[in-house]
Amino acid sequence: MKIGNRIKLLRKERHMTLDELARKSGVALATLSRMENDKMTGTLDSHKSICKSLGTSLTDLYKDIEDASKTVESVPKTKRTEYFSSTTKAKQELLVTKTQNKKVIPLMLKIEPSGQTQKEADDLGIEKFVYIMSGAIEATIGKEKYTLKQGDSIYFDASLEHIFKNTSKTDCKALCVMSTAD
């Protein structure tokens, strides 16, 4: 249940019209209407006023409310459309959609033999995890070099300059998961 539905349910249980709730709570009628129709959620202050007018607590108002941040997204391989190439021999494929709403972004990194990614350094606070699924890479992170082969992984502060080079004779595939900036 969403907050708007919950407000409407509590209001109707008390046989109160939207206009009455607006007058009692001091929350504008248009605002209450938008809240009940899930066009807006309202503020904590408006929720407190609504609760007081309905003779209930915030705990009761928020009872059974869906957390919109708890989502499930299934993306079949055939539906993935976002690819980007860091060089002609290295490609990254986004494994999710709507990345602006995510806290972590999973990518499939594919590097052809003797290929490499572009050198990059992300914003402070971003971290990366890379798991080698096939092939081998040389990861240069900051001034250090790391040799990683199938089954190996590395976790690092992505604000350090980094580059990945395929050192095997076959394509390298790696799962890369990066956090987003706070």
Side-chain angles (χ1 to χ4, degrees):
M1 182 181 297
K2 295 186 177 185
I3 191 79
N5 291 336
R6 185 74 180 144
I7 291 170
K8 186 183 287 184
L9 176 75
L10 291 170
R11 177 178 63 79
K12 288 189 176 210
E13 282 177 358
R14 285 149 181 81
H15 307 288
M16 190 181 289
T17 66
L18 200 57
D19 191 49
E20 288 174 307
L21 181 57
R23 278 196 312 269
K24 281 187 168 185
S25 67
V27 177
L29 179 66
T31 300
L32 283 171
S33 177
R34 284 192 290 270
M35 288 171 70
E36 284 193 1
N37 289 295
D38 294 318
K39 303 285 186 219
M40 66 185 298
T41 57
T43 64
L44 181 59
D45 286 337
S46 65
H47 293 179
K48 286 179 184 177
S49 296
I50 291 165
C51 286
K52 186 175 180 184
S53 300
L54 293 172
T56 191
S57 66
L58 280 172
T59 304
D60 192 37
L61 176 65
Y62 297 146
K63 181 179 160 193
D64 300 325
I65 297 295
E66 290 176 8
D67 183 351
S69 67
K70 293 180 183 178
T71 59
V72 174
E73 179 184 2
S74 174
V75 184
K77 183 178 182 178
T78 57
K79 299 292 183 192
R80 283 187 234 137
T81 57
E82 298 189 56
Y83 297 87
F84 52 100
S85 191
S86 50
T87 66
T88 55
K89 292 189 171 192
K91 294 180 176 40
Q92 296 183 51
E93 177 183 357
L94 285 170
L95 301 177
V96 294
T97 61
K98 302 173 192 153
T99 58
Q100 68 276 13
N101 299 325
K102 307 283 191 273
K103 293 181 183 176
V104 294
I105 301 172
L107 305 157
M108 181 62 66
L109 178 61
K110 298 174 183 177
I111 309 172
E112 295 175 21
S114 74
Q116 67 182 34
T117 62
Q118 291 178 331
K119 208 177 267 190
E120 64 180 303
D122 296 295
D123 294 336
L124 275 173
I126 294 179
E127 298 172 340
K128 280 189 181 175
F129 168 80
V130 179
Y131 173 79
I132 309 304
M133 297 171 64
S134 64
I137 64 168
E138 177 183 84
T140 304
I141 302 170
K143 296 179 183 180
E144 300 293 322
K145 291 185 188 277
Y146 304 88
T147 301
L148 304 167
K149 52 191 180 309
Q150 185 175 347
D152 292 343
S153 64
I154 192 164
Y155 185 95
F156 60 98
D157 178 338
S159 68
L160 295 168
E161 196 169 81
H162 54 281
I163 190 168
F164 303 109
K165 181 179 181 180
N166 185 346
T167 56
S168 64
K169 295 185 188 325
T170 61
D171 285 355
C172 175
K173 284 177 73 176
L175 175 64
C176 176
V177 180
M178 61 185 280
S179 66
T180 56
D182 292 333

